Amino acid sequence: MSKVKVTDIAKDTSKSTLHDFLSFCGKITDIDFQEEDQHKSAIVTFERPSAAKTALMLDGSNLNGATLHVSSDAEHADEAESHEHPSPVHHIEQSDKPRAGIAAEYLAKGYQLSDHILQRAIEIDNKQGISKKFLSYINGLDSSIGQRALGPEQTISGKVQSTFNQARERAMSINEQKGISKTAHEYYSKALASPVGQKVLSFYTNTSKQVFDIHEEARRIVDQHKSRRQEASSTAPPTEGSGVQSEPTTQAAPTAA
């Protein structure tokens, strides 16, 4: 278990609100709230050191109008990985994701992270690299979708790198003929099967990126969730007496399963 201390929490911030905010970093096992004169503080315990390290990245972030300070007396390092060739991975935890990807999820959810924090996420990924477990997962996903849609030895990202128009037509054809968009409920699957599949794959598998790239991925996450909600609304039976569809809300990409 790995702990961080969060101080200068707004007085009106509840334990569940703080939990929701920090759960993007990884699994939380305990939050010990402490009342202070003007603010609150909390000791947050994460299941994995990598999650605590991601939480430290959020030092200076804003929650409910207050600037949070996240610190720790201990140094939290990412778990050592085996040098053996990784076996196929079909499940990842939130804490397995690249920090830049997690930062994009925060922005997509509507949280405000400064460009300084986004740059910090990029620097951690540059220093630590992308976890082998996540790389195995995302590359396997790209390959499995490509094989289902296009045949053996094919990947979605490899097919959408020619030109934008060709990529768009190909992706639309794949979706219509194979039903990929309708059956792939998880963000990565749908994003890889989209006309920007190669960009998405590159974002999650390469450490060379800029702050702009995180903002761009956040917009893709938002657009994907809007599209999913609109599809759900169009296929759902109309509610009696209601003639207006409400504007869909957005949420961060879920932990992949």
Side-chain angles (χ1 to χ4, degrees):
M1 300 298 177
S2 302
K3 298 182 179 182
V4 300
K5 184 174 184 179
V6 185
T7 59
D8 294 340
I9 303 169
K11 292 286 283 185
D12 60 349
T13 298
S14 66
K15 184 176 181 179
S16 62
T17 298
L18 183 64
H19 183 281
D20 290 345
F21 180 71
L22 292 176
S23 62
F24 283 84
C25 302
K27 185 177 180 180
I28 297 171
T29 59
D30 183 64
I31 296 181
D32 181 16
F33 247 30
Q34 301 170 1
E35 294 283 348
E36 298 179 355
D37 291 338
Q38 301 297 325
H39 297 88
K40 293 178 180 178
S41 64
I43 302 297
V44 182
T45 305
F46 291 94
E47 186 177 65
R48 295 172 62 180
S50 55
K53 185 171 183 176
T54 303
L56 291 173
M57 176 187 83
L58 298 173
D59 182 41
S61 56
N62 185 284
L63 181 63
N64 284 357
T67 300
L68 303 182
H69 294 285
V70 187
S71 62
S72 178
D73 294 332
E75 183 174 346
H76 304 287
D78 289 347
E79 295 85 347
E81 294 189 288
S82 171
H83 292 291
E84 298 179 2
H85 189 276
S87 57
V89 176
H90 304 291
H91 172 80
I92 57 168
E93 303 291 342
Q94 185 70 13
S95 51
D96 293 321
K97 298 178 181 179
R99 268 67 179 208
I102 293 174
E105 292 180 6
Y106 270 107
L107 295 178
K109 184 66 174 178
Y111 292 112
Q112 296 180 357
L113 298 183
S114 67
D115 285 353
H116 179 72
I117 293 177
L118 302 186
Q119 185 61 42
R120 197 180 297 161
I122 293 172
E123 291 171 357
I124 294 176
D125 285 344
N126 276 327
K127 183 177 180 180
Q128 300 294 139
I130 311 298
S131 76
K132 292 179 181 178
K133 184 176 181 180
F134 184 84
L135 287 173
S136 177
Y137 168 80
I138 199 75
N139 285 318
L141 194 61
D142 181 44
S143 178
S144 64
I145 295 172
Q147 289 175 15
R148 289 201 308 269
L150 302 169
E153 307 300 326
Q154 300 294 329
T155 63
I156 288 294
S157 61
K159 280 293 178 184
V160 298
Q161 61 185 337
S162 51
T163 65
F164 178 79
N165 288 334
Q166 291 174 335
R168 183 174 182 275
E169 291 174 4
R170 169 62 67 180
M172 288 178 65
S173 176
I174 292 169
N175 290 341
E176 291 170 358
Q177 296 175 23
K178 302 294 184 177
I180 296 298
S181 290
K182 294 181 180 179
T183 59
H185 300 292
E186 191 250 327
Y187 169 71
Y188 298 127
S189 298
K190 297 190 73 172
L192 287 173
S194 74
V196 292
Q198 191 195 21
K199 278 190 174 182
V200 173
L201 185 67
S202 177
F203 178 85
Y204 285 101
T205 57
N206 295 318
T207 58
S208 178
K209 57 178 63 73
Q210 300 177 349
V211 167
F212 169 80
D213 297 317
I214 298 180
H215 284 286
E216 188 176 48
E217 173 60 12
R219 286 192 290 270
R220 285 194 290 262
I221 294 173
V222 170
D223 291 343
Q224 192 68 67
H225 282 285
K226 282 184 177 180
S227 176
R228 187 198 308 178
R229 289 175 180 272
Q230 288 169 353
E231 288 175 5
S233 297
S234 64
T235 57
T239 302
E240 185 177 355
S242 63
V244 179
Q245 294 288 344
S246 60
E247 181 69 18
T249 56
T250 61
Q251 61 184 42
T255 302

